[in-house]
Amino acid sequence: MRRTFETFSVGVLNLLANAGVVIPYFLCLMLYTQHSGDPVFALPFLMLYTFRCIGMLLTVYINWTASTMLNLSNIFGILGSFAMLFAANPVFGITGGVLLGLSSSWIWPYFLTMRSRGKLDEDFHITKNHWFAALVAMVILIGVGYFSNKIQILDIAFGFLAIIFVFSWFGGIYMRRQIDFYQNSDYKISLKNPSKLLFSLIFLVTLVILIFSIRYSRLTTTSSSLDLIICILAVIVLATLIYFQLDIHRKIFPLSLASLNRGVVMNFLLLYSIFDSTIRFKFNSTMIIFIIYLVGFELGPILLKKIRKFRFHILIIGIIFTLWNPTYFVGLLLSALFIGADNVILNDSLYTHPNLDGERAFLIKYQLSSIGNISQQLIYMTTIYILSYVLNINVLSFFDRSVSGASGSLLTTVHLFISIWVIILASVTYYSVRKYPVVK
């Protein structure tokens, strides 16, 4: 019985680590969709996505071991899920969004760090039984999510998510017990340069506020001038943060560029395409894109195993496919296959990179990926705000067809611009990494 409990707990941890980035995201998005028009229920989603982007940047200053941070991410997941049961209260909604955002930001890289350490030291391996347990948990979670969404009571889904995080927490504890490296570790927070830490945290908080403001403008009418000013300030703050990342960027180039590209593609798939496709097809495509992402992420390493050097070509074809309605979701699937295949290559390459400590390798990847994610978001929103300001149209018309302003041809032009930008970055990344050895 105990053995079964341990296997199931590690399997659930494996599931949340792989899909934890998107499960709370889609539940919060569904919550807002059910209460469309009520800004209170938009707060959890906005805070979750904002802190999911910012969470990895915070790890630069935290020197706790992967096992400690994995436990913390699971605890945040439990508390955040329970807070969402009272999302009608803005305080609980914001708290739940922040905690789930940090949890989903940290759980995968820290789990991956522990799993890689256990595999390297031959102390721990993910087995078929763990994957089977993850599959069972995923089926139950999807069933509960579908049922609670059907009866318009998402409290059931968030309550079950809290239980899932409890199992995941025990899974992390069992993993730690099996890996000798984490038995005696230093848990002190690194404060080697307090002035630099304070300066960077001020910029991070500023960026959080600005991104939150940008996202809130999607839900209510605001001044075009104010929108543009906020977006320009966010670009300046982000450029400053990127400047502080240049040292690590040069140290691991071109893998750093590949990590940035990953963040851009993730944002294109999991955020931009949701709003774009909902307007284009006139129905909520959130669940479809969620399934496409999961399928592509898991099958990418398998289907592209023998043709991994062509993964960027597949991505570019996928982005081009999204220009036409009949091939739109096929294009998203190809993009998801790229993310899955490229993710494995990045993980292996970074973990064995001579200029990186194995405990920090995946954190560096997700820090750079978060910057790519935010950059893609700001490029899109800046484009929207400039067009809204110059053409004097309501910015909400780019996200809601019921609001007059943006024409179909203008929306198509925006999509074409964003697609060209993603294709250019992917091409530059491919040119940079094409001679980089693809590790086993």
Side-chain angles (χ1 to χ4, degrees):
M1 184 66 180
R2 179 181 176 182
R3 183 71 175 177
T4 302
F5 182 80
E6 291 181 3
T7 301
F8 183 75
S9 297
V10 175
V12 169
L13 171 61
N14 187 36
L15 168 66
L16 284 183
N18 280 277
V21 173
V22 293
I23 291 174
Y25 167 84
F26 281 105
L27 288 180
C28 288
L29 188 57
M30 283 194 294
L31 180 67
Y32 171 66
T33 302
Q34 286 185 4
H35 300 85
S36 183
D38 189 344
V40 170
F41 290 96
L43 295 176
F45 169 67
L46 295 175
M47 298 308 293
L48 181 145
Y49 202 91
T50 300
F51 276 85
R52 198 181 80 182
C53 293
I54 299 301
M56 284 313 305
L57 300 179
L58 293 174
T59 61
V60 175
Y61 313 106
I62 303 177
N63 198 31
W64 290 359
T65 62
S67 63
T68 304
M69 291 301 294
L70 182 62
N71 283 337
L72 187 62
S73 65
N74 280 313
I75 292 172
F76 279 5
I78 296 169
L79 297 176
S81 298
F82 277 126
M84 290 302 299
L85 298 178
F86 311 97
N89 184 313
V91 175
F92 283 100
I94 291 174
T95 302
V98 170
L99 293 176
L100 286 175
L102 293 175
S103 175
S104 61
S105 175
W106 293 344
I107 191 168
W108 170 244
Y110 285 113
F111 167 79
L112 191 58
T113 299
M114 287 187 67
R115 191 186 73 179
S116 299
R117 173 67 65 177
K119 186 177 180 180
L120 184 67
D121 297 340
E122 297 186 355
D123 290 333
F124 176 82
H125 294 274
I126 293 293
T127 66
K128 292 181 179 179
N129 289 334
H130 293 140
W131 280 109
F132 179 74
L135 178 62
V136 171
M138 182 177 71
V139 171
I140 297 175
L141 184 60
I142 291 176
V144 171
Y146 177 80
F147 174 75
S148 59
N149 185 48
K150 194 75 173 177
I151 64 174
Q152 302 286 295
I153 304 178
L154 278 179
D155 286 355
I156 298 175
F158 282 112
F160 185 72
L161 182 61
I163 296 173
I164 287 293
F165 269 112
V166 171
F167 279 103
S168 178
W169 184 21
F170 279 109
I173 293 173
Y174 294 138
M175 275 188 68
R176 181 181 180 277
R177 289 177 180 174
Q178 295 183 48
I179 304 174
D180 292 336
F181 177 82
Y182 296 107
Q183 298 306 311
N184 298 295
S185 303
D186 183 10
Y187 293 164
K188 294 180 180 179
I189 297 180
S190 175
L191 294 174
K192 296 180 180 179
N193 194 333
S195 60
K196 185 177 179 181
L197 168 60
L198 179 62
F199 179 77
S200 299
L201 286 178
I202 291 174
F203 268 80
L204 283 174
V205 172
T206 304
L207 188 61
V208 167
I209 295 172
L210 291 172
I211 292 178
F212 179 83
S213 301
I214 290 170
R215 290 189 166 282
Y216 195 76
S217 69
R218 295 180 176 185
L219 309 174
T220 183
T221 301
T222 55
S223 166
S224 296
S225 300
L226 180 61
D227 288 341
L228 194 57
I229 291 172
I230 290 175
C231 206
I232 291 174
L233 287 175
V235 170
I236 293 173
V237 173
L238 178 63
T240 305
L241 288 174
I242 291 175
Y243 174 78
F244 283 108
Q245 297 278 340
L246 288 180
D247 182 54
I248 189 64
H249 172 69
R250 289 191 294 265
K251 187 181 293 185
I252 63 173
F253 184 85
L255 295 180
S256 57
L257 182 59
S259 299
L260 287 168
N261 179 72
R262 176 187 178 277
V264 169
V265 178
M266 286 281 288
N267 185 276
F268 181 89
L269 176 62
L270 291 178
L271 184 68
Y272 170 74
S273 66
I274 290 177
F275 289 98
D276 178 64
S277 60
T278 298
I279 293 177
R280 182 181 295 202
F281 299 106
K282 298 181 177 61
F283 65 84
N284 190 336
S285 59
T286 303
M287 186 58 69
I288 294 176
I289 292 177
F290 173 51
I291 294 173
I292 287 175
Y293 168 77
L294 286 180
V295 171
F297 187 84
E298 296 298 333
L299 293 183
I302 300 172
L303 297 181
L304 305 186
K305 184 176 182 180
K306 295 184 179 180
I307 55 171
R308 288 192 291 182
K309 63 181 179 179
F310 296 112
R311 64 191 185 281
F312 283 93
H313 302 76
I314 292 172
L315 168 64
I316 293 173
I317 292 172
I319 299 298
I320 293 174
F321 273 9
T322 63
L323 295 174
W324 300 283
N325 289 359
T327 57
Y328 189 89
F329 291 108
V330 176
L332 294 184
L333 178 59
L334 293 178
S335 301
L337 290 174
F338 164 82
I339 292 174
D342 195 60
N343 193 60
V344 172
I345 296 172
L346 268 176
N347 290 343
D348 293 340
S349 300
L350 285 169
Y351 196 77
T352 56
H353 199 285
N355 292 337
L356 291 178
D357 172 19
E359 283 293 286
R360 306 294 298 176
F362 300 132
L363 301 181
I364 296 296
K365 166 194 167 183
Y366 284 97
Q367 288 158 15
L368 293 169
S369 182
S370 294
I371 290 177
N373 193 311
I374 297 173
S375 299
Q376 158 68 9
Q377 183 181 157
L378 288 181
I379 287 173
Y380 172 49
M381 294 305 293
T382 303
T383 302
I384 297 299
Y385 289 145
I386 291 175
L387 290 173
S388 175
Y389 180 81
V390 172
L391 301 177
N392 193 28
I393 58 179
N394 193 333
V395 70
L396 292 180
S397 62
F398 289 93
F399 311 110
D400 186 351
R401 272 293 177 89
S402 64
V403 179
S404 61
S407 62
S409 59
L410 183 59
L411 292 172
T412 301
T413 302
V414 171
H415 182 77
L416 179 62
F417 173 77
I418 297 299
S419 299
I420 291 174
W421 142 248
V422 176
I423 289 173
I424 290 175
L425 179 62
S427 301
V428 172
T429 305
Y430 167 70
Y431 178 80
S432 302
V433 304
R434 72 190 192 287
K435 294 183 180 179
Y436 194 88
V438 178
V439 298
K440 293 182 180 180

